[in-house]
Amino acid sequence: MDVLRDGLMDAIGLLVSGDQDSWSIIALTLRISLTATAIALLVGLPLGAIVALARFPGRRIVLAAANTGMGLPPVVVGLFVTVLLWRSGPLGGLGLLYTPTAMIIAQAAIATPIVVALVAAALQQVDPDFRVQMRALGATPIRAFAALLGEARLPLLAGAMAAFGAVVSEVGAAQMVGGNLAGQTRVLTTAAVLATSQGRFALSIAFGLILLLIAFGVNLSLTLIQQRGAVTR
């Protein structure tokens, strides 16, 4: 209990003291996680819509692959991205390994299958007559797609929350491709792992509590938007 109490006090101290190192870790965590989530949404929304609405050979296999990707081990993603970005790898010349960009790539790769699978499931639940009505009203494909997303906005927001939750709490791939470099690629999850390995359990708990606070804040915002949409339906 003393360790938990000390961890809570350390978390409060880190937040109110303005410690530069801690705030840089928090800022980098937010930047990487939010950017990776945004990329996953930009890629996953159209792919999920194609899987849900289009008819093509192998469609069920693609959908099964996306569903499998929801449980993709982050370490496997980290290994794959590391091999791609290694000096002798296909993209080694870009010099991205052990940078925040590499961490964003890895986390976007983790979150995208989640978005694809949940978007496909959400759009498949929309009444097929809705699309017929939109076409009958002369809606352009873009407007029809936007209206379809509007109908499925509640589960889509749930997909966004799931994607953010997957990347903000991820540690294996982040450490593999980022290297946990102080002041460069250290985020809350990797900082907590390092503190634990050093026996600084109170500091590790503090980082964990701050991570939970961030996750709660983002998900609270999305939940309020989601529930506002549910009330207005």
Side-chain angles (χ1 to χ4, degrees):
M1 292 300 295
D2 289 341
V3 174
L4 291 175
R5 184 194 61 211
D6 292 344
L8 178 60
M9 296 305 297
D10 282 354
I12 295 173
L14 290 175
L15 288 173
V16 302
S17 67
D19 177 76
Q20 184 176 356
D21 290 339
S22 300
W23 279 110
S24 66
I25 291 173
I26 294 171
L28 185 62
T29 300
L30 282 171
R31 179 163 70 89
I32 291 175
S33 298
L34 291 175
T35 303
T37 303
I39 292 172
L41 291 173
L42 288 174
V43 175
L45 274 173
L47 287 180
I50 291 172
V51 172
L53 306 177
R55 296 293 179 266
F56 55 89
R59 172 178 169 272
R60 292 182 178 179
I61 295 176
V62 174
L63 184 57
N67 289 331
T68 302
M70 293 180 68
L72 189 64
V75 172
V76 174
V77 176
L79 176 61
F80 182 73
V81 175
T82 299
V83 170
L84 284 178
L85 300 180
W86 198 257
R87 286 190 298 271
S88 58
L91 303 178
L94 298 177
L96 296 178
L97 194 61
Y98 304 135
T99 67
T101 301
M103 298 171 71
I104 290 171
I105 293 172
Q107 292 192 359
I110 292 169
T112 297
I114 297 174
V115 175
V116 172
L118 294 180
V119 167
L123 294 182
Q124 285 177 323
Q125 298 302 312
V126 178
D127 189 344
D129 291 339
F130 179 79
R131 283 180 280 158
V132 176
Q133 293 171 0
M134 293 301 298
R135 285 196 295 266
L137 292 172
T140 64
I142 294 178
R143 290 199 63 182
F145 180 60
L148 188 63
L149 292 181
E151 281 294 302
R153 64 186 179 275
L154 299 185
L156 291 179
L157 283 170
M161 286 187 276
F164 178 77
V167 298
V168 76
S169 60
E170 196 283 319
V171 61
Q175 190 144 321
M176 290 180 70
V177 304
N180 198 18
L181 305 177
Q184 299 181 49
T185 60
R186 183 164 297 166
V187 292
L188 285 169
T189 51
T190 58
V193 169
L194 178 63
T196 300
S197 68
Q198 296 173 339
R200 303 167 68 187
F201 298 113
L203 181 60
S204 179
I205 292 172
F207 284 136
L209 291 174
I210 294 172
L211 186 64
L212 285 173
L213 183 61
I214 290 173
F216 176 76
V218 172
N219 284 306
L220 176 61
S221 301
L222 292 174
T223 300
L224 291 175
I225 295 173
Q226 185 189 51
Q227 294 306 305
R228 188 179 300 119
V231 171
T232 57
R233 291 188 68 174

